Amino acid sequence: MGEEIDLVRALLTSQPRPASLAERRERLDAVASAYGVAPDIRFEPVSVGGCEAEWSLALGSDPSKVLFYFHGGGYCSGSIKSHRGMVGETGRAAKIRTLALAYRLAPENPFPAALDDATAAFEFLLAQGIDPNRIAIGGDSAGGGLSLALMQRLRDAKKPLPAAAWLVSPWVDLQMTGATIDSKAAIDPLIHRDYLEQLTANYLAGHDPRDPLVSPLHADLSGLPPVLVQVGSAETLLDDAVRIAGKLGASDVPTRLEVWPHMIHAWHLWSAKLTAGRQATQSAGRFIAEALGG
């Protein structure tokens, strides 16, 4: 397992860090999709509330059940392309359909644009006649925070909630108070404090970082559906994941935390080369399938 993650680390450090936002977006798409997607998963583009989105369906999966997914990238990068393999394979593992959303990115579209897009897309799913008890939401990094923000908004508006949520390496504290942001900096090849500070400035555009809709660590999390949190031990956002799992549990939300040894940020993206990535994807698939009555 150590040799496998070293190969991924080599991929991620094979080129200098991007200097511009445009380069960062291009680089994330390239490295996250480096191993392609399985040929037997069908992908279908769709427009949702003015945003691009994409359905996926693996052979034998149930199209009446949906994983609604938000990609990571600090609200400033990431795309359907970068996360296509991760989303499609999780849908396969859960034996359900997926919908990945290309929500608007900062700094061009700061908060609350991404949350507004997520809300509109969830309403799109309901308008398609999909029972909310047959919907799970998920996201990695910023997408994990966005998942929690969406559930807060739905709950507070007394609207239907999804049946479950899956959070991978979630970024839930834009004040960046977690100790592992510094203590894990030397071994995390992707996420560091200065990078997070840039992302925060772009996304918030002066908005309060303590707002529970941008930092769910400060939110009232009561009344949310069951949550699976997965995080690697070798990432700076480890404390974000551990703390949000603890807060969810303290709020009486059924919560499972999985800390995967030696894994880096959103390691599922490279499951084609990582046994632990495939195992974590299968674990997420079982959790989602059980929550949706599979």
Side-chain angles (χ1 to χ4, degrees):
M1 190 172 294
E3 293 180 357
E4 292 180 345
I5 195 63
D6 286 345
L7 290 174
V8 174
R9 286 177 173 276
L11 169 70
L12 298 175
T13 58
S14 61
Q15 299 178 31
R17 283 186 171 271
S20 69
L21 179 58
E23 291 172 343
R24 187 175 295 146
R25 288 173 175 172
E26 183 178 352
R27 180 76 187 282
L28 179 54
D29 276 0
V31 298
S33 62
Y35 302 129
V37 297
D40 61 329
I41 300 178
R42 187 175 77 245
F43 296 93
E44 178 185 347
V46 62
S47 178
V48 178
C51 294
E52 294 181 4
E54 185 175 75
W55 293 108
S56 85
L57 186 68
L59 187 65
S61 295
D62 184 349
S64 73
K65 299 176 180 178
V66 176
L67 168 63
F68 179 32
Y69 196 83
F70 307 120
H71 65 76
Y75 301 104
C76 298
S77 60
S79 68
I80 289 171
K81 177 183 177 182
S82 63
H83 286 66
R84 183 173 284 137
M86 178 177 177
V87 176
E89 289 301 332
T90 307
R92 184 207 299 277
K95 295 182 171 59
I96 61 174
R97 186 162 52 149
T98 74
L99 180 68
L101 179 69
Y103 54 86
R104 287 172 292 169
L105 299 176
E108 299 91 337
N109 300 281
F111 175 81
L115 180 55
D116 290 344
D117 292 344
T119 306
F122 190 78
E123 291 172 350
F124 163 84
L125 285 173
L126 299 183
Q128 297 294 302
I130 300 173
D131 188 324
N133 291 321
R134 289 176 166 252
I135 301 172
I137 65 171
D140 63 286
S141 197
L146 186 56
S147 298
L148 288 164
L150 173 60
M151 290 191 292
Q152 290 178 65
R153 178 179 275 188
L154 294 172
R155 178 202 60 198
D156 293 348
K158 302 190 184 311
K159 294 185 176 180
L161 287 164
W166 167 48
L167 313 178
V168 176
S169 307
W171 187 27
V172 297
D173 174 20
L174 272 63
Q175 288 186 301
M176 292 162 285
T177 61
T180 54
I181 288 180
D182 297 316
S183 66
K184 296 284 184 178
I187 60 173
D188 187 326
L190 287 170
I191 309 298
H192 301 101
R193 181 177 291 277
D194 59 346
Y195 176 48
L196 292 176
E197 289 173 347
Q198 295 172 28
L199 298 175
T200 297
N202 287 342
Y203 183 54
L204 294 184
H207 191 78
D208 184 358
R210 287 185 58 87
D211 184 336
L213 293 178
V214 299
S215 292
L217 189 64
H218 301 302
D220 171 11
L221 300 174
S222 61
L224 299 189
V227 178
L228 168 64
V229 182
Q230 294 181 317
V231 67
S233 69
E235 55 174 306
T236 55
L237 291 184
L238 174 60
D239 270 359
D240 276 46
V242 172
R243 289 183 297 165
I244 200 66
K247 182 153 188 176
L248 284 160
S251 301
D252 297 318
V253 176
T255 304
R256 189 167 89 214
L257 172 65
E258 296 179 358
V259 182
W260 288 75
H262 312 297
M263 290 301 105
I264 62 173
H265 191 67
W267 70 101
H268 308 58
L269 288 165
W270 301 283
S271 290
K273 300 295 183 181
L274 288 174
T275 301
R278 294 188 292 275
Q279 291 172 339
T281 299
Q282 288 295 322
S283 178
R286 290 190 295 271
F287 168 81
I288 293 167
E290 181 178 352
L292 302 190

